Structure formats: C-alpha cells, structure tokens
Amino acid sequence: MMKKGTFLLGIVMLLVCVMPLLTACQQAQEDPQSVLESIAVTQQPARTTYVRGDVFENAGLKVGAKYTGSDDFVDVTDKIKVPTEPLTYAMTKVTVSYTEGDITKTVDIAVTVTKLPPDTLVLDSIPDTALTVEADANGKTAKAYWFAEYGETGAKITAFVTDEEIKASQNMSLSDHVEFLISTAQRLDGGISEDTVLVSVASDGRASFKKYESGQFEPLDESGIEAEGEIFSFGDEIDGYRIIVSVPYSDIQASLENKDMTLCVALCNVNGGDIRQKTSDLFGMQQDASQTYIAVTASNTFAKNKYYYYGATFGDAGAYKTNAAWDLTNDNPGIDADERSARMTGTTTTNEYPAYMHGSSATNFYAEAEFNVIDRKSGEKAGKFGFYIVTESGDGLLLYVAANHNDTSFTGVSFGRAYRHNGVWSSSAVWSTPALPNAGTYQGENYVKLGVYRRNGTVDFYFGDTRIVENFYADYGLDVDTPAYVGIISLGLQIQVKAQRHIDAGNDPDSLLESYQGRKTPIADQDFLFVGDGRFTTGNWSTYNAFAGDLGGTTRNIGTAGTTLANWNNRARIMGDLYTARHVIVNAGITDINDKLVLSAAAFEALARETVMRYKQAFPDATIYFITVIPHYIETYADRWPILKEANDLICAWDIPGVKVIDVVEVFGIESYTDMAQYCKTGNLHLNADGYARLQGAIKEALGII
C-alpha cells in the first residue's frame, strides 16, 4: 500500500510539470500580450494527389497554432478554413487558414494535380462505324459511335460517346447515358419485337436491364448481362466515355451460329435542365415499324433487318399507299402459303387489300409467285394482278396480267405495265404480244406462275419460265444500285397466292440467279447509240432509217417520244450498264422548253450539261453528240423562241472534251421561229422532207461519215 506521504509528493511533482503548460495556454488565449504568431501542419492529409476538377479533402489533416511567448503548438484543426473550389491542373499547393480576432495565418500543403486519372483510356481516335447517333442539349452536342460483334457466348455492344459539355467542364454527368434494344431478327408487328431486351447504361457503367414480354417491359432480374463504363481521352483531357455491354445469346434468343441479332440504339445527352434523347436513323429507320431494326451481319457490320418489310394497301390505281409495318395477320410464318395468301383476299367491303412487299438492297434478285383469281370486286371489268416493284420513295413499276371481265367470265390474257414517278401513276398500257394461252390459266383450280427478275436498273417479266418482257427500264425510279421492294398486288380482284419466294445473293443456294442471268439476251456492242426525245424512226426522226445504213456500223435506236432530258439523265447509268458504244447521239427534243418545264436558257443549259456529263461517265470511251432543240413554226410556242435561241448559244459555247454539239439553229440558218415554216410539214409540228434532209446531213457530218 502506498504511503500517504508518497502520494502527496506525486501530486506536487505533477503540478510542477503541468502548470507551466496550462499557464502558457492561458497566457496565449487570455494574456493580451500573447498573440497568434503562426500555424503549421502537424499531420499531413491522407490524400495529396488529385485529378483536375477534384476538391481538396482534409481528412487526416492536423494543424497547430503557435503564439508569442511560447514555442508550443495548440491544435486548431477544427477551426481552420480549407479551399472548396475545384483544383486545377498543375497546382502544387493548397492553402489553409486560421483566424483569431483580426489576425489570420495561413499554411501551404503540397499537392499534385494531374489532368487525367492514371488509368484513363487514351485513344488516338475512334474507329470508323456507320452507326452513330447525335443529341444536342443546350447547344452542346454529344455523339455516340456504336459497334457490335458476335462473341462466343453472347453479343458485345460498345459505344464511344464524345460530349462537348464533358470536354468543356471536365466533369462527368451521371445522367448522361446510352440505351439500346437488342433482339434476335424476327418478323415484326409494327412495334417492339417480342423478347427484346432494353439496356440502359450511365456514363459510369451503372446499368439496368428490362425485357419486353406480352406487350410491356419488365425488369430482367436474373440476367447474365454485364456492363461497364469509363472515361476516355484523345490526349490530356477528358473527351467522353466508353460503354461496353455483354449480352448472353440466351437472353435475346439469338445464337452465334445464326448470327441473327438486331439493334436499335439511342443516346441521352443531359446539359443543365435540357434532356435530349435521339435514336439512330441509319437506313432511314422508322420506329413505328420496328425498334429492333438494324441487323448485325456475320462480319460485325450493320445492315437492314432482313425481316423489315414495306406494307401497302391498294384498290384502284390511285389508292396505292405505303405503310411502315408488315401486317402479321396476313403473313404468319406458322401457317402454310395457301392459307396465308387466302387471308389476303380479306372480307372488307372497301377496295383496299394488303400488298406483300419484300425489301431488298440487292441490285440483282428474282421474285415469283403463283396467282389464282377467285372473283372480281364491285363489278370490276378491268382487274389486274401481278408484281409491284417500288423504291423507298414509293415510286415503282407495276407489271401485271390484265384480267378483264365481260360480266360473264374472265377473258383477259394480255400483259401490261404502269409506272409511278414522283408520286404520280402513269396510265397503264398493255402489250399486244405476248399473252397468256387463255384466261383459264388463272381461274378455277389453276394457278399461273409469274416472276420478275431485276438486274441493276432493268426488269424482266416472266410467265412460267418464259421471259415475256426483257430489259424494261421505263422511268420508275430504279437506278443501277437503288434498293427495291417487290410485292404481290391486285386491283379490283379477289385473289389467292401461293409459292411466293424471293431470291437474292444472300439466299440463293442453287445459283438460280445465274440461270436467270444466263437467259438474258446479250446486247451486242453498238457503234452508234441514239437516245433522247422522239423515237428516231418516227416524228422528228422519220428518216432515221434512210441514213442509218450509211453509218458503217451497228446502231441501236432507243429514243422515246415525249421524254425529257431529266428522264434520260435518270437512265444514263442504266444505258451504260446495258450497252457499249463508240458514239452516243443525244437528241434534246422539244418537251423541256415547249412544255415550260424549264423556264430559262441558263436552266436548260445546265440540264443539258448534266446530260452530257452523265453520258460521258456512263460511256467513258465514247464521243457524245448533243443535238440542240429543234424549233417549230407554231405560234403557240412563239414565246419560247428567245429562250431556245439563247440556250443554243450557251450550249454551242461548250468546250467539253469528248462532246460535240450539233447546232440545229445553225443547221437551218434561221433568225426567227417564223423562218422554220419552209422546213415544216402542214401543222408545223414535224419537219418536211427538206428539213429532214438538212438534219440528216448535219448528223452525218458530225459523225464523220460524209
């Protein structure tokens, strides 16, 4: 036991040691002569390395204050002031302060501030991709670059997002995100595909997943989908973020073997209170048709969903309408072709029925079907059935059987055509030959097989295996490489259709396309090819045959009455695909100026220049001869003469290599349209014998044969 004296001695010694410190502190804070002299860091903060934009963290920091008259530091950490502004690149210190009364002291703390986190993804550039989406919010643009690939167990979807607001502020907004719908390629019912998965991923990789079932999205809780996000830079600052998502094939009913996934991608850009979400418009995507529209090919590129179809309804020739959605009630893959086509006849009392349209970007395809006519509609006497080939704009060509009715039975056996240009249908026309053997071929239990073969800008029409029309290239909108849609159509009839098929390079295991190509009649090389307004054996060109034999080579005459230079501009690449020629003679004709389709000389000259340049491109080794407008002695066109004369003068001033101009005004030596009276027939529309003789001579001279 400690003795009482010893205990008291200890107390005295403790007071001797502590009292000086207590006195110093009391003097520092109470003695008016003791003032704040300085502060110092007595313990460094836990973090001293930052990325620009970060805010200083004082965790672990301890600061002491020193007063006059004392060498000791008093802890004042809880009373210091630390900076709260974002740190900037290359800062080496931050300053903290402590204030007592009107005295403030500061101390610096060494820090390192870098531009980017040490593990930042640095890119030279973003790889090229066809699939991009832009979204503008408050004047700042974000752009997503999308990539997709088939992995061993699932799809890998990658998006690189550049963002002007992120670049300017060097701060990430966790509200910025990407979304995409992903599913297997399948037939569509005008909306979102069944079993489609919706993936939404924020810029930091936080993600949510939902699945579309029974008409609505439900959370996909048990999923193997994985997502990650990280920032990236092109150098020394944050430029955007990258998202990578892995989706197991089992979640979307797709497979590595079939390589059959489709996507619809979107980008959400948030800037201030402005939130903008945009969806890809690659291939002119229409969300009301399908939100899983873009197909991922076996080579990990993007293409149109092979099950994306145009739909249409039809009644009379003026009632063609295109719809975005394929109507599954009329094309259920679970029923056979006969039942499916029978549904096409419908029960409606209107004049409109569905038209099956199959989309194809192939410039070389064959489509066929077998047709049976059940009855006519509403007493129709001029029904039609066959194929409609349409461009994305809706312009197209109708090739049909004219199933005419005499109020007792069907009698029609002729084939015909009609075409739609710039939204307007032309009057249909039938060919006198060939024809069906009899109308019974498509009635009762009989089906007639019809087919269309497209090669670049031309179409062949088949009855059975017999080609009845070859190289049809009327102005229906298809150029050499224009995507097309082919469909079964009917006007004024109830029909049944079976055995439909569409063959292109992607589904042609039997090389049938090669067999159809082999049936095409080769077109021999032509020394002289005549194109333009007015068929060269009629009208203005009634004496063409009189001098064609003098040309000293093979000739081909494909001029068409009533056509315009715009018509022949559209046909240029098709002509180059069909023919070769040493000399191409283009007749400008009268339609553009006389019908006031062109209202100024400068406009006509520009159109004519476009014509010769297109034919030079189509026939690079040929000489192009341009025959200027032939005036007529008709008072109705008197006001057109000044434009015609000025246009001819502009055209004759050309200096285009490989192009020669035949100036008709000079040929006839006229100063006014009234001077043409001596060269025109009665009625003044066509040339007389003297007029044709002069024109023949000018053409021969230009061609170098006289």
Side-chain angles (χ1 to χ4, degrees), residues 357-567:
M357 305 302 291
H358 183 104
S360 175
S361 60
T363 57
N364 203 0
F365 66 74
Y366 173 77
E368 72 175 17
E370 297 181 21
F371 297 79
N372 170 263
V373 177
I374 302 171
D375 199 357
R376 57 181 178 156
K377 286 179 50 55
S378 305
E380 179 63 59
K381 292 186 178 181
K384 299 175 177 65
F385 65 87
F387 285 100
Y388 177 38
I389 301 176
V390 63
T391 65
E392 288 186 314
S393 68
D395 287 350
L397 170 68
L398 169 62
L399 294 170
Y400 62 83
V401 172
N404 295 335
H405 200 279
N406 63 8
D407 286 332
T408 301
S409 62
F410 287 101
T411 60
V413 294
S414 298
F415 297 103
R417 63 100 181 107
Y419 48 90
R420 187 174 186 261
H421 185 61
N422 291 332
V424 178
W425 279 96
S426 72
S427 57
S428 61
V430 297
W431 290 289
S432 56
T433 57
L436 293 173
N438 57 70
T441 56
Y442 56 80
Q443 296 180 75
E445 297 182 357
N446 296 325
Y447 283 77
V448 60
K449 184 170 77 170
L450 302 177
V452 287
Y453 170 64
R454 179 202 176 179
R455 179 184 178 275
N456 298 340
T458 64
V459 173
D460 297 348
F461 190 26
Y462 281 84
F463 158 50
D465 292 324
T466 302
R467 184 177 59 243
I468 58 175
V469 177
E470 180 182 17
N471 293 330
F472 194 81
Y473 59 85
D475 296 309
Y476 52 86
L478 286 183
D479 202 344
V480 172
D481 54 7
T482 310
Y485 299 83
V486 60
I488 297 162
I489 59 92
S490 167
L491 296 175
L493 302 172
Q494 290 186 353
I495 65 172
Q496 295 185 101
V497 185
K498 67 179 182 180
Q500 305 100 314
R501 65 174 176 169
H502 181 281
I503 302 168
D504 58 28
N507 64 346
D508 184 18
D510 300 321
S511 300
L512 288 174
L513 286 180
E514 292 183 10
S515 70
Y516 282 101
Q517 174 61 37
R519 300 181 196 183
K520 296 182 73 67
T521 303
I523 299 175
D525 292 349
Q526 306 298 316
D527 292 303
F528 303 94
L529 180 66
F530 289 80
V531 302
D533 180 31
R535 185 161 176 80
F536 290 85
T537 52
T538 62
N540 297 357
W541 301 99
S542 61
T543 57
Y544 163 79
N545 289 334
F547 72 87
D550 298 333
L551 296 180
T554 57
T555 65
R556 185 81 174 188
N557 173 13
I558 54 176
T560 306
T563 51
T564 66
L565 285 182
N567 295 143

Side-chain angles (χ1 to χ4, degrees), residues 4 40 61 142 170 183 230 239 347 373 381 426 446 478 492 559 581 605 632:
K4 182 176 181 180
L61 174 67
Q170 291 299 292
S183 78
E230 62 178 332
D239 288 285
T347 58
V373 177
K381 292 186 178 181
S426 72
N446 296 325
L478 286 183
E605 185 275 336
H632 296 290

Side-chain angles (χ1 to χ4, degrees), residues 161-343:
V161 181
T162 59
D163 191 308
E164 292 178 347
E165 175 59 25
I166 291 175
K167 184 179 179 70
S169 67
Q170 291 299 292
N171 286 316
M172 301 298 293
S173 168
L174 298 185
S175 297
D176 288 326
H177 65 277
V178 298
E179 290 186 356
F180 63 88
L181 296 164
I182 182 169
S183 78
T184 182
Q186 58 187 285
R187 295 185 185 274
L188 310 168
D189 194 12
I192 300 173
S193 309
E194 191 73 5
D195 293 325
T196 291
V197 171
L198 169 61
V199 178
S200 179
V201 189
S203 56
D204 65 347
R206 291 176 298 111
S208 65
F209 318 117
K210 296 180 180 180
K211 193 165 190 174
Y212 190 77
E213 296 177 309
S214 302
Q216 61 185 358
F217 279 107
E218 297 290 350
L220 187 59
D221 297 325
E222 297 182 4
S223 170
I225 302 176
E226 297 179 352
E228 60 183 75
E230 62 178 332
I231 63 172
F232 69 79
S233 172
F234 294 127
D236 55 10
E237 58 186 6
I238 300 173
D239 288 285
Y241 57 96
R242 180 182 70 171
I243 299 297
I244 300 177
V245 182
S246 298
V247 182
Y249 293 127
S250 57
D251 280 341
I252 57 173
Q253 310 303 315
S255 70
L256 176 61
E257 179 182 7
N258 294 331
K259 292 182 170 60
D260 53 353
M261 67 171 164
T262 58
L263 294 170
C264 173
V265 298
L267 168 66
C268 184
N269 182 15
V270 180
N271 183 12
D274 195 8
I275 302 174
R276 299 300 171 98
Q277 180 160 316
K278 296 293 184 180
T279 305
S280 167
D281 60 356
L282 186 64
F283 307 121
M285 186 182 72
Q286 301 175 51
Q287 288 195 69
D288 58 347
S290 165
Q291 293 194 49
T292 49
Y293 175 72
I294 302 169
V296 181
T297 70
S299 58
N300 296 325
T301 58
F302 301 106
K304 286 191 175 183
N305 184 341
K306 65 181 179 179
Y307 287 118
Y308 180 76
Y309 292 80
Y310 265 27
T313 58
F314 55 89
D316 55 45
Y320 282 86
K321 292 187 283 290
T322 58
N323 296 322
W326 175 267
D327 185 354
L328 280 180
T329 61
N330 297 304
D331 183 33
N332 185 337
I335 58 178
D336 62 31
D338 287 337
E339 183 180 351
R340 180 163 69 250
S341 60
R343 292 187 181 191

Side-chain angles (χ1 to χ4, degrees), residues 631-669:
H632 296 290
Y633 179 51
I634 299 178
E635 291 187 6
T636 306
Y637 302 140
D639 64 331
R640 313 306 291 155
W641 166 255
I643 294 178
L644 185 152
K645 179 64 170 65
E646 184 184 353
N648 277 16
D649 291 342
L650 293 172
I651 292 170
C652 290
W654 284 351
D655 183 16
I656 304 174
V659 176
K660 295 183 178 181
V661 176
I662 301 174
D663 181 6
V664 174
V665 172
E666 181 181 357
V667 168
F668 292 105

